[in-house]
Amino acid sequence: MADRIDGLTASALDPEIGEFVERINRGYAEQGEPTDMADRRRIAEAVRESWRSGGPSMAETRELTLDGIRLRLHRPVADAVLPVMLYIHGGGWTVFSIDTHDRLMREYAARAGIAVLGIDYSLSPESKFPVALDEIVRVLDWLPGQADALGIDPARILIGGDSAGANLSVAACLRRRDAGQAPLAGMLLNYGAFDADPTESYPLYGGPDYPLSPEEMDGFWANYVSDAAQLTDPLVAPLRAGLHDLPPAFLAVAECDILAGCNHAFARKLAAAGGEVTEVTYAGAAHSFLEAVSIAPLADRALDDQARWLRERCGP
């Protein structure tokens, strides 16, 4: 049954996405309350374990490090020079890893025919803004010089991420633009956290039947910054930035997500600034719905949509 809040109507979850959310929520309940941040991360990894398994096999997977930063490169084919996407996992800057998002990275690699590089950036609250952003920019600056060693095309580098990872993707492109660097080939932005202020989607999709609550999101923002005043910094809240001269963007918006409103606002502002924007709202989708690809045709379709866009951005 649809709920009405402040004159707006909440849409129903897609059945398979609803099953995904119910199983995720049950998994957290079965693990019990975390005792500290390390335990919270352990629980998050355990709950996501079944969802990161299976999926495409890679021709090659390499474990790398850069200045102590853990990286993982997936290549769907060997002996070819491939475009590469730096993928930045979500988790509110606080939890998750390249392990929780391993299947998602392999799906992009296999479907789009590109290399995908995951980064285990430093998590908050131990490492606050701008530590993670600095690490991501460092990897982007390092990648072109590794083209021969990694079999990648330095002229076809993309960036992507989900939730906090989408935030960091845009912030990295803003940092590069302001430094006078050429834009990347594209930004793949999944249900991003682009501003801390609540929107109309918060009361609609912030209840216990959804995977992300306003209280949890507020906690993530608080973990990420050293001071509340930083929440208006354009590199923390990219919706507040000037969005001119950024790479083309694909925004995958989950309809039934507290972050849907800020995603729509970001897409409008990016387009108004002259950006090339592909915005697709997936009806019945919840936050993190792409992780449900093993059971949800909706997630499978969204990944196909994105793979097609990635291929178009990368050219022949």
Side-chain angles (χ1 to χ4, degrees):
M1 180 180 296
D3 295 322
R4 291 186 63 81
I5 300 173
D6 294 334
L8 300 174
T9 302
S11 299
L13 284 174
D14 171 270
E16 290 81 13
I17 300 301
E19 179 185 346
F20 166 74
V21 172
E22 192 277 331
R23 287 166 62 178
I24 287 286
N25 289 342
R26 185 171 69 242
Y28 279 109
E30 290 172 351
Q31 290 285 334
E33 288 296 318
T35 57
D36 54 21
M37 186 58 70
D39 196 38
R40 183 179 182 184
R41 290 173 183 148
R42 178 195 62 77
I43 290 171
E45 295 281 333
V47 170
R48 249 55 184 198
E49 184 172 0
S50 63
W51 302 102
R52 72 191 187 202
S53 304
S57 298
M58 294 289 99
E60 182 182 18
T61 296
R62 296 193 208 178
E63 303 290 339
L64 308 164
T65 58
L66 172 65
D67 299 335
I69 305 167
R70 182 180 174 221
L71 305 168
R72 178 177 296 154
L73 181 71
H74 287 305
R75 291 177 53 87
V77 295
D79 303 323
V81 176
L82 300 175
V84 63
M85 177 169 65
L86 177 62
Y87 195 81
I88 307 167
H89 70 80
W93 307 277
T94 302
V95 295
F96 297 159
S97 67
I98 55 176
D99 295 325
T100 58
H101 283 60
D102 189 74
R103 175 163 184 172
L104 190 55
M105 294 190 293
R106 287 184 284 110
E107 292 285 354
Y108 286 127
R111 293 174 190 238
I114 64 174
V116 177
L117 181 69
I119 174 173
D120 254 349
Y121 56 89
S122 296
L123 298 176
S124 62
E126 298 91 336
S127 299
K128 293 181 177 289
F129 170 81
V131 174
L133 177 58
D134 290 343
E135 293 173 346
I136 289 159
V137 171
R138 192 180 315 152
V139 172
L140 288 171
D141 289 343
W142 167 82
L143 262 180
Q146 302 301 306
D148 290 342
L150 301 180
I152 59 172
D153 183 351
R156 295 184 292 171
I157 297 175
L158 307 104
I159 195 167
D162 55 279
S163 197
N167 170 294
L168 289 163
S169 296
V170 178
C173 290
L174 290 168
R175 178 79 72 78
R176 287 173 56 86
R177 179 200 66 189
D178 293 345
Q181 295 174 283
L184 301 175
M187 302 185 295
L188 187 72
L189 308 174
N190 297 323
Y191 28 85
F194 299 125
D195 192 81
D197 283 352
T199 67
E200 70 281 358
S201 51
Y202 269 58
L204 290 176
Y205 303 115
D209 294 334
Y210 302 96
L212 179 64
S213 70
E215 295 77 17
E216 185 177 27
M217 194 66 231
D218 289 346
F220 287 146
W221 285 110
N223 280 342
Y224 185 46
V225 297
S226 300
D227 185 280
Q230 288 182 315
L231 293 175
T232 61
D233 186 318
L235 293 178
V236 171
L239 183 57
R240 298 171 184 262
L243 299 181
H244 56 89
D245 300 320
L246 291 179
F250 185 110
L251 277 85
V253 184
E255 180 190 30
C256 305
D257 179 9
I258 64 170
L259 299 184
C262 79
N263 277 253
H264 295 315
F266 183 84
R268 290 192 300 269
K269 186 172 180 178
L270 184 58
E276 182 183 331
V277 183
T278 301
E279 179 189 9
V280 182
T281 299
Y282 293 94
H287 195 77
S288 299
F289 81 100
L290 293 173
E291 296 176 55
V293 64
S294 60
I295 65 168
L298 179 61
D300 183 70
R301 175 166 62 85
L303 288 171
D304 277 346
D305 291 344
Q306 293 183 314
R308 185 164 48 250
W309 181 86
L310 287 166
R311 291 192 298 271
E312 291 170 354
R313 292 307 315 156
C314 292

